[in-house]
Amino acid sequence: MVGITDQLRATKPQPDLVDRFYKVVEKLKLENPFHCYQCFKCTSGCTSFRLTEIMPHSFVNFVRLGFVEDMMRSELLWACCQCLKCKERCPQDVAPVDVIFLLRRMTVSSGAEIPEDLSKIIMNVTETGFIQGIQKVKVGETSVDREQLGLPPITLPNLEKFSSVLMKAMEEQIE
Amino acid sequence: MKVAIFPGCIAATEQYACELSTREVLRELGVEVVEVPGFSCCGWPLQNVGTVGWVYLAARNMALAAEKGVPLITLCNVCNRMFYEAKFLLTTNSELREKISSLLKEEGRGPLDGVEILHPLELFHDRIGVEEIKKRIKKPLKGLKLAAHTGCQAIRPRKLRSIDDPEYPKKLPSLIEALGAQSPHYPEALDCCGAYLFYTRKDASLTLAGEKVEAVQNWGFDGLVTVCSSGHRMLDGRQDAAATTIGKALNLPVVYYTQLLGLAMGLAPEKLGLQLNRSPVKNLLEKIG
């Protein structure tokens, strides 16, 4: 991730996005990122950091300084594994994971694309109720389904109604 | 006692051993399962794109169970957390609550409140109890050393609900020890399975799963025990892919706690869906005998 000195040279803070960000923080009763004092406890215990270089404290810091759009555009936004250790351990009760997820939602509502595989399962949920179709699974050389295993059938919701109400819910953006 | 089972996407569509073994052991323990038609995804993937959509999904599932008036057992840690998070948002945000209520009415769904969400660890450890489980054991798992994987989403954040200690979870190890096996703490006990990263950073996701399995294997455990269909899919279902990703040989038996409990209660492996596990559970079954 880019250092703060380079960041300050490259762009200016975005006050309108900061406003939008804090309005949602207030609405969803999220912990206030402004309380962060940059102790790095989140990053030092971050599951994803070692593999993807995501730094939760840095996300919080840039947002505190007003660089919301820059963080929304960061590819590392999608590198959080949501182990929730940062939220659990923060001595100031800030939840970097919630900051990251709020930024994801702001990005999406401003029209940005989301990772393909994630987009696929979201589509599946809206159309079929689940992230994927009901599958047959392999046992040795053959494949079996729920019924053959003695499991009761899955009774899906009325999909037409389900999809239309869900789409309506998804259009009601808070972010 | 009566309960409803919320399988979640992964157990409902793919991880059949999870639901199968849960139903078998509940029947054996005298817990009646009430069927609830119409469940959908808990809302998790939608949390990435907006708030109202995912809370609506969580709320509609809870409303379906509330109509039956029984506790809802979640077979996936993520679903458990989503339900608690939705409950929190619905009690602290009246604007959101109104929106969700009217959406629920549109789909013809009933009450917004009143369902009790139970994690399998709470059901087995707190409700049924370790002593009661000990009494039901016909085939003690003597001489086995099994690692517990409680999973991130079940125990964090503590503020939302406290299923177990978020830094040092003890319920799953004590439930494993109730079956006669040993389940000592290990340094990687809190390591993440990587499930959440699978849809955005596949390599990192499989690396997390692989390194977790490798660590457990290196400590000399006979197997790894899970309580979550998402985590199990990573550690068991994708163990081969994880081995390829990290370039190590992995051959660690991974079983659901309900499968292990069933075996100790004397149930047949096929009844518990052990033929569906992708990891080499044969090695473990041979040791159990």
Side-chain angles (χ1 to χ4, degrees):
Chain A
M1 286 178 90
V2 59
I4 194 68
T5 321
D6 292 337
Q7 184 70 38
L8 286 164
R9 281 203 195 108
T11 48
K12 291 212 162 63
Q14 304 99 27
D16 46 327
L17 281 173
V18 175
D19 276 358
R20 204 172 120 204
F21 180 89
Y22 277 99
K23 263 183 198 143
V24 186
V25 165
E26 174 58 32
K27 263 193 184 166
L28 297 182
K29 304 276 184 291
L30 300 179
E31 311 293 356
N32 189 345
F34 213 78
H35 294 158
C36 167
Y37 52 43
Q38 293 286 292
C39 71
F40 294 21
K41 196 173 179 183
C42 52
T43 297
S44 64
C46 173
T47 300
S48 284
F49 171 58
R50 192 171 48 83
L51 297 171
T52 66
E53 296 181 347
I54 187 176
M55 294 195 279
H57 79 277
S58 195
F59 267 100
V60 176
N61 198 28
F62 280 119
V63 167
R64 280 188 335 155
L65 295 170
F67 299 104
V68 179
E69 194 179 8
D70 303 83
M71 290 299 99
M72 281 166 66
R73 270 201 252 116
S74 168
E75 228 186 87
L76 289 171
L77 200 52
W78 303 97
C80 167
C81 73
Q82 231 193 21
C83 69
L84 305 166
K85 285 176 186 156
C86 59
K87 185 167 180 167
E88 179 64 42
R89 293 172 181 170
C90 175
Q92 285 294 88
D93 272 345
V94 174
V97 58
D98 289 349
V99 170
I100 289 167
F101 269 70
L102 172 48
L103 291 169
R104 283 189 188 184
R105 297 196 292 270
M106 285 174 69
T107 311
V108 174
S109 75
S110 61
E113 286 200 8
I114 54 174
E116 200 187 335
D117 287 351
L118 187 59
S119 159
K120 224 180 271 173
I121 61 168
I122 291 171
M123 189 84 87
N124 287 344
V125 171
T126 57
E127 287 169 2
T128 70
F130 291 114
I131 60 168
Q132 59 185 16
I134 298 169
Q135 305 188 1
K136 277 194 158 196
V137 291
K138 274 202 167 160
V139 179
E141 295 302 303
T142 58
S143 292
V144 293
D145 58 19
R146 289 181 59 93
E147 197 185 346
Q148 284 162 302
L149 289 163
L151 284 168
I154 294 286
T155 322
L156 291 168
N158 174 340
L159 283 178
E160 205 176 312
K161 191 152 214 178
F162 170 84
S163 293
S164 81
V165 181
L166 179 56
M167 292 310 281
K168 199 171 159 188
M170 288 172 76
E171 277 160 25
E172 296 239 18
Q173 283 288 4
I174 288 183
E175 288 80 12
Chain B
M1 186 182 184
K2 286 183 185 178
V3 298
I5 291 178
F6 184 78
C9 296
I10 294 164
T13 64
E14 179 190 328
Q15 282 290 325
Y16 301 138
C18 184
E19 188 180 338
L20 200 59
S21 56
T22 304
R23 285 178 182 273
E24 284 298 323
V25 297
L26 290 185
R27 184 181 306 138
E28 200 69 11
L29 290 164
V31 178
E32 188 188 328
V33 175
V34 177
E35 303 301 331
V36 183
F39 278 144
S40 62
C41 166
C42 69
W44 159 72
L46 273 54
Q47 200 187 26
N48 290 285
V49 297
T51 297
V52 186
W54 83 258
V55 178
Y56 166 68
L57 280 189
R60 76 171 289 282
N61 287 312
M62 289 195 285
L64 284 168
E67 284 166 19
K68 304 281 178 189
V70 292
L72 190 57
I73 310 293
T74 49
L75 299 189
C76 166
N77 287 349
V78 182
C79 304
N80 184 284
R81 182 177 68 88
M82 298 314 282
F83 287 150
Y84 271 95
E85 217 167 295
K87 277 187 169 198
F88 170 78
L89 286 171
L90 290 168
T91 43
T92 53
N93 188 322
S94 54
E95 189 190 329
L96 183 65
R97 192 185 169 82
E98 260 166 50
K99 271 186 189 157
I100 301 291
S101 285
S102 80
L103 288 162
L104 282 177
K105 266 183 214 137
E106 224 170 294
E107 210 208 327
R109 293 286 155 238
L112 192 54
D113 299 297
V115 71
E116 182 188 11
I117 306 297
L118 265 189
H119 189 275
L121 283 179
E122 294 175 298
L123 175 71
F124 292 118
H125 189 278
D126 307 343
R127 298 294 168 93
I128 295 169
V130 170
E131 289 313 312
E132 181 60 28
I133 285 176
K134 276 185 187 165
K135 279 187 220 155
R136 307 293 187 112
I137 302 309
K138 292 187 184 133
K139 215 168 155 187
L141 310 177
K142 283 261 155 22
L144 287 181
K145 195 172 95 171
L146 299 165
H149 176 73
T150 304
C152 301
Q153 305 265 325
I155 49 176
R156 285 184 286 271
R158 175 179 0 211
K159 264 190 176 174
L160 202 58
R161 81 284 195 229
S162 71
I163 288 170
D164 205 342
D165 189 317
E167 298 292 348
Y168 194 177
K170 298 174 196 74
K171 285 183 188 173
L172 184 54
S174 79
L175 283 166
I176 295 170
E177 292 189 342
L179 312 181
Q182 282 180 297
S183 186
H185 185 68
Y186 59 105
E188 296 82 5
L190 290 185
D191 281 12
C192 171
C193 69
Y196 221 108
L197 271 183
F198 194 74
Y199 299 101
T200 55
R201 294 286 183 100
K202 205 154 281 176
D203 267 10
S205 161
L206 290 170
T207 304
L208 288 174
E211 288 179 349
K212 171 103 194 186
V213 171
E214 191 197 7
V216 172
Q217 202 167 283
N218 288 347
W219 287 116
F221 282 100
D222 297 301
L224 180 63
V225 184
T226 60
V227 279
C228 161
S229 48
S230 293
H232 189 90
R233 178 164 74 159
M234 291 303 297
L235 302 164
D236 172 90
R238 292 176 176 148
Q239 194 177 118
D240 281 351
T244 310
T245 304
I246 65 167
K248 298 274 167 64
L250 301 176
N251 53 6
L252 181 75
V254 182
V255 291
Y256 284 108
Y257 178 71
T258 39
Q259 291 182 311
L260 199 65
L261 173 59
L263 288 172
M265 289 197 297
L267 299 174
E270 309 80 64
K271 276 192 143 184
L272 303 162
L274 276 142
Q275 69 277 26
L276 304 175
N277 294 41
R278 296 285 172 254
S279 61
V281 288
K282 236 186 182 175
N283 305 349
L284 187 67
L285 290 172
E286 276 165 15
K287 285 179 193 166
I288 294 172

